Amino acid sequence: MPDALYLSTAIGLPYLGALVTALLPANARRLESWLAGAVALLTLTMVWLCYYPTIAEGGVVRAEIAWVPQLGLNLVLRLDGLASVFAVMVAGIGLLVVLYARYYMSSDDPIPRFFAFLLAFMGSMMGLVLSGNLIQLVFFWELTSLFSFLLIGYWQHSAQARDGARMALTVTASGGLALLAGVLLLGHIVGSYDLDRVLASGDVIRAHPLYLPALVLVLLGALTKSAQFPFHFWLPHAMAAPTPVSAYLHSATLVKAGIFLMARLWPVMAGTDAWFWILGSAGMITLLLGAYVAIFQHDMKGLLAYSTISHLGLITVLLSLNSPLAMVAAIFHTMNHATFKASLFMAAGIIDHETGTRDIRRLSGLNATMPFTARLAMVAAAAMAGVPLLNGFISKEMFITETLSASTAPTLLHSLLPLGAALASIFAVAYSLRFIHGAFFGPTTGDMPHTPHEPPQWMRLPVEVLVFGCMVVGILPAATIGPFLDVAVRSVLGEATPYYSLAVWHGFNLPLVMSLIALAGGALLYRLLQRHLNAGIDGTPLLRRLDGRRLFDRVMVFLSWRFARTLERLLGTSRLQTQLRLMVCVTILAAVLALAPHDFGLGVLQLSPADPVIGLVWLAGSLCALAAAYQAKYHRLAALVLLGGAGLAVCITFVWFSAPDLAVTQLLVEVVTTVLLLLGLRWMPKRLELAGSGRLLSRLRRYRDFAIALGAGLGLTAISYATMTRVSPEGISRFFLERAYTEGGGTNVVNVILVDFRGFDTFGEITVLCIVALTVFALLRRFRPAPESIGVPDQQQGDVRNWMMVPAVTMKLLFPLIGVVAVYLLLRGHDLPGGGFAGGLMLAIAILLQYMAGGTRWVEDHLRVHPLRWMSAGLLLAGGTGLAAMAFGQPFLTSYFAYADLGWLGKLPVASALIFDIGVFALVFGATVLMLIAIAHQSVRSQRAAPTPPPAPQEER
Amino acid sequence: MLLAQAVLWPVAIPLATAALAACCWQRLAAQRAISAAGVLLMFAATLLLLWQVRAEGVQAVQFGGWAAPFGVSFVADRFSAAMAAITGLMAFATWLFGQADIRRREERAGFHPLFHGMLAGVNGAFLTGDIFNLYVWFEVMLITAMGLLVIGRTRAQLDGVLKYAVLNLFSTLIFLMAVALLYGVAGTLNMADLAVVLPQAGPSLTLTISALLLLCGFGIKAGYFPLFFWLPASYHTASITVAAIFAGLLTKVGVYACFRVFTLIFTVEGSGLREILAVMAACTMLFGVFGAAVQWDVRRILSFHIVSQIGYMLLGLAVATPAALAGGIFYIIHHIVVKANLFLLAGAIHRASGTFDLRQSGGLMRRSPLLAALFLVPALSLGGIPPLSGFWAKFMVIDASFRGGQGWLAAVALVTGILTLYSMTKIWMEAFWKDPLMPRPTARAVPAPMLAAIALLAAVTVAIGLQAEPFVAYAQSAAQALVDPSDYIAAVLGAVPAEGGAMAEPRP
């Protein structure tokens, strides 16, 4: 159990530390670095505590915490040899970097943020290497991408840092998504994401048909993270980060995550040709390309970046070889690279910090001014170059040995391996020499921004520790690093662990000769290139055109800008008509699609004989509708009147087919909407007549639209016809007919449905009406009509009352009568055609007529309708009726009915639904009048408003 | 009584709030108080409903005491209860944000009644068990949304609202036609009853057309390709509070309706719908994300991302295995929170930098690091970065499409994920990292209510991400109920209305 505790602390503590650090004040620099250092140290201790008892004996520490069991996921913390080596690197180098950063970071930078990101990144790396579950691994993988993004872009004011960060994130997070897909496939193959189970089913995985896609996806993740060709380009651009970040991310952690993943899955995924070919070619190209480009870098960090790429390529090649010994070399080189590269980055940072520049062309002679740093850097660079008695030499010799033994295989790539290794070693010596010679030797009078001097002692300490490590391992490998390496290797290879010897001297053999040749060749190459390098030309000879970054930018610009813009131009439109046309067409298409599986068959029902009278009504109605559509664009008034004609035809049809309720409602709605629209027409702008240049085109457009409309109409007719000629199902309608009187207490079924059976629908609909009215009211509240429509029409010049004398008197006289009819309609609604809706509209018409007859002012002087109150009261009444039923323990809107005895008037059926209907009545009345008033007040306002000069016409986009 | 009708309250409370607020049209203080009470009560009511559904299973209520299928039913199963609860949360968060964002002018134009009316419409659509009643709630939503969109009465808003109104009216029209056809075939409107009746009726042309019309109608609402144009044309014109709640909820109502109708009434399996849905899902994802790429206005970027993300949900429906539906449901919940929060953040960015245009804003990382941290949460969640909710949502959807044999959909989803992340880094780099072109002389602080609302939603995102287990379990059981709706049907058709009063026997 303590193991589980230690492990979860090792992951959780850095995150906790990050959180605390982020909240510390910006000026508490010392405190923050102490805190971060303590966290790193504690994390290291936790790993160590776990390591010591179990791992050293070859065991695995494992703790399982339930996470999302539904998806087959448990949080598995798993520490074995490989993980422990990586964990120690992450925490150990993390500790050194924190110490280094304490002195490196300037007080102008927001320090809390820096340490918070760094610690969070450390936690993510710990989580990654300690994952015992593949999904969990991806989880932390993406987190490392995220925090590296934040760290690389830490100096946000620099565009380089921003772009570098974004590129790193895009590349590595995309790789992470590919990895996720790959891991999902692996989980699909194995049946579990648990690492132990995955590791136990190597044969199943390699034999599975999905092996290749899974492999490609997983390797996409690993290669992007480890900056392997062709995804290597993000790493040099990530150098815009502060140097401690580079030292941490690009030596021991971020880029090693890909290596870790490949080593982790090596036992189950390696051993196939596909593995060798993908990794071998990617690694070999990266190895050579990185080393070659590194020689020509002028920025010290750029040089180190490409050298990192190259070394990662080396490790990838080793992993690709499918040989256990190569695996040993890979892990060993990973550790060695972490030590010497971290120290070199730090040395570069010290130089940058103390001189103000990292440009090798400007630096020179630092050996004199900062001798101690120079010694340290030289040792580390020598390790990088593979000089004997340093750790880099041993692992590089192992690499050469492995390439030699692999070259016996028949393929071209196999046989080229030793050549590539030798060439890369020569390049490595050359760029290491450049790093040292360029910066530390030469005349002391460099034009550096600051006068160089030795850094604070504590800033140098991390470098000293790492360089000491390089030397000790290089001289006494078996005694120092041996046991650790052994544990790591055994955890990967298990029984298959081969015999290997860690020694400086293996006798005078071919690898040693090749190493020596490389040293000599590298020195020679550097000597030859010196003239070119001193000339200070930017870019790499022969490879100037090959710029991964440019390619990346082009792809991203293409995808996110050009391609997207083209798509937008082709398909996106801001024009309403186009959009609507598209939608109608899609709908028609959908209906046509439906025809495919079915044949269009008419139903069995016979048509009843057509009556010529209703036929004529329909002919008139259809003509009206067609004409309205035709005129809609040119003559609004005519279109509106024609629309009224079509509405009347519908109304007559309702009467004809014995639906008096519908007819009444339709008629009233028709009247009110037409009047309101007519009132609104007054304020519409005039139609713009465009010159007839595009006449033919516009006519064609209209024909096309007509065809679409015809298609839609005919289609709908056909569907309706097909449906209605079939026997209608025994649905719910009979129930309504039967129960309307017995249980709903009304003989008017339509009304009972509206206020009782489906009262809730009505409730919703009156809400809609209410909101429409409110919106119209709110929208027109302070509306000022367009200047061109302000002018008073002829009819209103002079006294309106005289002009409309007779109609006005009639309308005024009719007012009480209409009111009575409205109430009558309301009250009888439950049994006879009518109802709250019709009644409300009727009453509204009464008011409407008064407005028309007397003018807005006259009406409002004589009669104040408070439509808002009517509406609210109606809504509350209707809702209250429903709630009242609940007070009696019934469901919402349950109605109750009885007969009220009114003496000589007879018995009046009273249903609680009537109260609901009264609510509807009030609301409909209020809403209609509110809209009327909103529109009517324009005329008052426009008369009041001084005809102000029209505002400058704004061009539409 | 309170508990027996728990399904009703999430609709009744906002309706009552809207009505009361409309009563106090002139008294803004009263309106605000009513609105606050309404929001809190509704949030509580939705949580109560969620709790009750979890404890007791599907809840059904028959209005007017008429047994299904004659009266109108309200039903809450796990899916709809979750949607209602998230609506409550959204209402609360946007209301909180609105404390600092809504102007008096907008309040005078009826913000409070419209806002609550819209909430009632959304909840009604989630909870109704009757397809015609669903239409009614769609109308409520449409009309209130129109009112809210145009509340500032600017020229841009009028332009946006016109498109919104016309295209959405068209959608409801198609919906209504589809319902009419459905009624013509089945003779019933209750969805549970339809689920029983339609299999007996057998396949027919009318039914297929009805299904496709429903898909079109809901598709316009939800913003599926190629029906999404109204969305990016209108959302960015609304005020931020309004845009946030629209972005969070309105399109999701369309998605919800699709999920409901195409599991309960129609099936994706074996109806030929799968291919259509899959292609639509893929195109929706891609077109949305490409549309976002060319924008510079934060709100427009986010609007296009709504479309793109809708594609993921549709993907869940297209694959239609229980796991895929669970992924879709999880995605909906995750996305509502995240997208609304991003819109709120757009508002905060505007408040702090004075512009929505990314080219002109900048420097917010330095000026308000808290806002930056809060932005990262939903932005990364949208991109599917762990440990946030989006990671799980993507994980579930992609895993399900692999398992459902639709690997290509998974690939499209992954590519879309990358582009989404890229797009989010664009906002991050332009608004937060880069220095502004013209630094503002005085830095404007983001008001506390805004930050509180954003932080609340960010906390939810993080909570879902870190503690995904209950949410995943819930989504899975909700999806299971969609695949096998027998509980739903039993709860509706077997719902016994209260004794006494006007009641009907179940149909023989």
Side-chain angles (χ1 to χ4, degrees), chain A residues 741-929:
Chain A
Y741 187 70
T742 54
E743 288 171 21
T747 50
N748 179 358
V749 185
V750 175
N751 187 270
V752 177
I753 291 177
L754 284 179
V755 299
D756 196 346
F757 290 125
R758 298 190 65 92
F760 200 59
D761 284 342
T762 313
F763 190 60
E765 288 295 344
I766 58 174
T767 315
V768 172
L769 188 64
C770 174
I771 292 161
V772 170
L774 282 180
T775 308
V776 169
F777 179 63
L779 195 59
L780 295 178
R781 204 163 45 100
R782 288 208 187 132
F783 170 78
R784 298 268 175 210
E788 67 261 27
S789 54
I790 280 181
V792 181
D794 290 345
Q795 293 88 333
Q796 287 184 14
Q797 309 272 0
D799 196 347
V800 183
R801 269 167 289 178
N802 291 338
W803 204 78
M804 295 227 315
M805 185 71 168
V806 177
V809 171
T810 321
M811 288 173 190
K812 277 175 205 161
L813 285 177
L814 275 176
F815 179 62
L817 194 61
I818 299 177
V820 171
V821 172
V823 175
Y824 173 64
L825 274 179
L826 163 70
L827 289 180
R828 72 172 209 160
H830 214 47
D831 292 324
L832 293 165
F837 194 82
L841 280 176
M842 188 67 122
L843 195 59
I845 289 173
I847 299 287
L848 203 70
L849 288 175
Q850 300 316 304
Y851 269 82
M852 286 166 70
T856 309
R857 288 209 190 135
W858 182 85
V859 178
E860 291 182 358
D861 286 345
H862 290 77
L863 174 72
R864 292 297 288 193
V865 190
H866 295 285
L868 274 170
R869 285 184 205 164
W870 278 89
M871 272 166 51
S872 325
L875 197 58
L876 290 176
L877 204 59
T881 317
L883 289 176
M886 293 179 70
F888 289 103
Q890 303 292 333
F892 187 68
L893 285 176
T894 304
S895 73
Y896 173 79
F897 70 93
Y899 289 89
D901 200 344
L902 295 182
W904 56 272
L905 271 174
K907 280 185 170 178
L908 185 67
V910 182
S912 72
L914 180 66
I915 305 177
F916 183 80
D917 219 11
I918 292 175
V920 175
F921 172 85
L923 189 138
V924 169
F925 170 67
T928 317
V929 172

Side-chain angles (χ1 to χ4, degrees), chain A residues 67 70 139 143 166 560 564 568 571 574 582 590 598 729 731-732 743 756 758 761 765 778 782 872 891-892 954, chain B residues 23 62 64 66 109 130 132-133 139 155 163 185 187 208 212 229 287 290 293 295 386-387 422 425 469 476 503:
Chain A
W67 194 19
Q70 289 82 11
F139 189 93
L143 277 177
R166 188 188 198 184
S560 74
E568 196 199 27
L571 284 160
S574 56
L582 191 77
H598 307 283
I732 51 177
E743 288 171 21
D756 196 346
R758 298 190 65 92
D761 284 342
E765 288 295 344
R782 288 208 187 132
S872 325
F892 187 68
Q954 288 182 346
Chain B
C23 286
Q62 291 299 125
W66 301 103
D130 186 287
F132 181 76
N133 197 244
E139 279 211 332
R155 187 177 277 264
K163 284 166 188 160
V185 176
T208 314
L212 287 171
F229 297 108
F287 281 83
F290 281 122
Q295 308 297 333
Y422 192 72
T425 55
E469 191 264 321
Q476 281 178 338
M503 64 171 274

Side-chain angles (χ1 to χ4, degrees), chain A residues 168-193:
Chain A
L169 179 69
T170 313
V171 175
T172 56
S174 310
L177 284 176
L179 176 64
L180 174 63
V183 161
L184 287 176
L185 284 183
L186 271 185
H188 193 56
I189 296 171
V190 178
S192 166
Y193 301 115

Side-chain angles (χ1 to χ4, degrees), chain A residues 6-29:
Chain A
Y6 296 150
L7 288 184
S8 41
T9 314
I11 301 176
L13 195 67
Y15 284 116
L16 189 69
L19 205 63
V20 175
T21 317
L23 298 175
L24 287 176
N27 51 9
R29 204 163 136 213

